[in-house]
Amino acid sequence: MTPPSRFDEPWQAQLFALTVAMSEAGHFTWSRWAEAFGATLKAMGADRPLDGGADYYAAWLTTLEGLLDRAGHAPVDEAEATKAAWERAYLATPHGQPVRLPG
Amino acid sequence: MPHDHPDHPHSLLPSDPALRVKALETILVRKGLVDPAAMEEILDTYERKVGPHLGAKVVARAWSDPAFRDRLLADATAAIAELGISGRQGEHVVAVENTPNTHNMVVCTLCSCYPWPLLGIPPAWYKSDAYRARAVREPRKVLAEFGVTLPDGQKVRVWDSTSEVRYLVVPMRPKGSEGLDEAALADLVTRDSMIGTGLAGASR
């Protein structure tokens, strides 16, 4: 039996693993991460209190995108183009078949 | 959902954040900056292996073995390593023990630093602005909302976690637990009791 996930949605788990793996691979220290994440939470929480669920992982994602953009690992343009390519791949793939990026 | 319709034969389009995460992962894997196997290992660890049961084991050992308790309070990072538990980011673990005089409670006002190796992924309330802001300002009020009322003479000490230091609360051993073995004691140790928003022996 698989225990219930500790994340609300699978992408949150992927995001968590991606961030920890990048830090462990030496691309940024965890202190650097916490500092950047804290700054995003502060900025996003200025308008209204964050709920610690969906808000929290939205802030997490924004932080990682920012860090990777500034480091040149995943520049914003490249991230947007890759996201658009995934969107096209999903829309072009018949239901039930594995979705893959062309090339 | 615009694409969730039986007339549309294509695959269901994932949510915007799901696609953004997928895009980052694709780029980083393609560039060799991250190893998909390492990601898989991290997911497996946090989804299936790590959780409050590990912290509970540490607390139960501290209750049953005074020498271990002393080592835990002196150097928690080394003491938990004796039980095969270690952090991933080289963070330092500090154990703080509740006594009749002091109740300890943990927060991360910066973001959500948490003793992952001992408690797993934090609950949503721990990450919420409400808890992060109020735990320091009005801890007794927050505790009351968790159903915890402390005697007047017991002061509350709030510990603010950082990316380098993570705190584990060692709750007080419940009355009537004399004679229980470590496994039975561990069952009394709730996640919240190790964050300081609950007491050991209370219902989970």
Side-chain angles (χ1 to χ4, degrees):
Chain A
M1 202 181 86
T2 313
S5 175
R6 283 146 191 170
F7 298 91
D8 293 335
E9 295 187 51
W11 68 263
Q12 298 172 352
Q14 289 295 125
L15 175 63
F16 172 84
L18 187 61
T19 309
V20 174
M22 281 298 282
S23 177
E24 290 187 356
H27 300 298
F28 48 80
T29 63
W30 203 253
S31 300
R32 173 83 193 84
W33 165 258
E35 191 187 305
F37 187 33
T40 311
L41 286 170
K42 200 170 172 192
M44 285 180 65
D47 300 333
R48 63 188 174 86
L50 306 180
D51 66 10
D55 286 347
Y56 174 83
Y57 285 104
W60 185 307
L61 177 53
T62 302
T63 307
L64 186 64
E65 285 173 333
L67 274 184
L68 296 174
D69 175 50
R70 285 192 296 280
H73 294 323
V76 165
D77 295 354
E78 193 179 355
E80 277 171 8
T82 309
K83 176 179 176 254
W86 271 115
E87 258 173 36
R88 286 193 301 274
Y90 271 93
L91 297 178
T93 306
H95 187 75
Q97 295 202 7
V99 181
R100 292 198 181 90
L101 280 187
Chain B
M1 274 240 201
H3 295 289
D4 189 10
H5 195 277
D7 292 343
H8 287 230
H10 60 72
S11 302
L12 190 61
L13 195 61
S15 68
D16 175 76
L19 284 168
R20 283 158 64 197
V21 172
K22 231 171 156 38
L24 292 180
E25 185 183 343
T26 303
I27 293 165
L28 299 173
V29 170
R30 202 187 271 153
K31 292 182 179 175
L33 294 169
V34 77
D35 177 5
M39 277 184 68
E40 203 41 59
E41 189 272 326
I42 292 163
L43 272 181
D44 186 53
T45 298
Y46 287 100
E47 286 280 35
R48 283 175 278 280
K49 293 182 187 147
V50 175
H53 61 283
L54 293 178
K57 208 167 109 178
V58 170
V59 170
R61 173 68 57 89
W63 285 346
S64 338
D65 178 347
F68 178 79
R69 171 209 168 260
D70 293 347
R71 292 199 296 281
L72 182 69
L73 296 179
D75 181 353
T77 311
I80 64 171
E82 293 176 28
L83 302 185
I85 303 168
S86 64
R88 303 184 70 97
Q89 280 98 21
E91 68 270 33
H92 196 62
V93 178
V94 171
V96 289
E97 186 185 50
N98 287 349
T99 67
N101 295 323
T102 309
H103 178 89
N104 296 285
M105 184 172 158
V106 181
V107 66
C108 173
T109 56
L110 173 68
C111 50
S112 55
C113 299
Y114 190 71
W116 290 353
L118 292 162
L119 302 183
I121 303 295
W125 59 258
Y126 184 84
K127 303 175 289 192
S128 70
D129 277 3
Y131 180 75
R132 295 194 296 118
R134 294 179 54 224
V136 174
R137 212 171 53 221
E138 43 187 25
R140 277 180 192 272
K141 241 178 167 171
V142 172
L143 284 173
E145 287 162 25
F146 277 90
V148 176
T149 313
L150 302 174
D152 284 341
Q154 194 178 21
K155 66 176 197 292
V156 181
R157 182 148 186 203
V158 180
W159 300 84
D160 195 356
S161 312
T162 66
S163 56
E164 281 106 24
V165 183
R166 319 286 176 99
Y167 298 95
L168 173 77
V169 174
V170 180
M172 285 200 285
R173 182 168 172 165
K175 290 202 175 67
S177 65
E178 300 79 10
L180 294 180
D181 65 12
E182 271 186 50
L185 286 173
D187 283 342
L188 300 175
V189 185
T190 60
R191 177 194 66 201
D192 290 2
S193 74
M194 293 181 280
I195 305 175
T197 53
L199 303 177
S203 59
R204 275 162 193 276

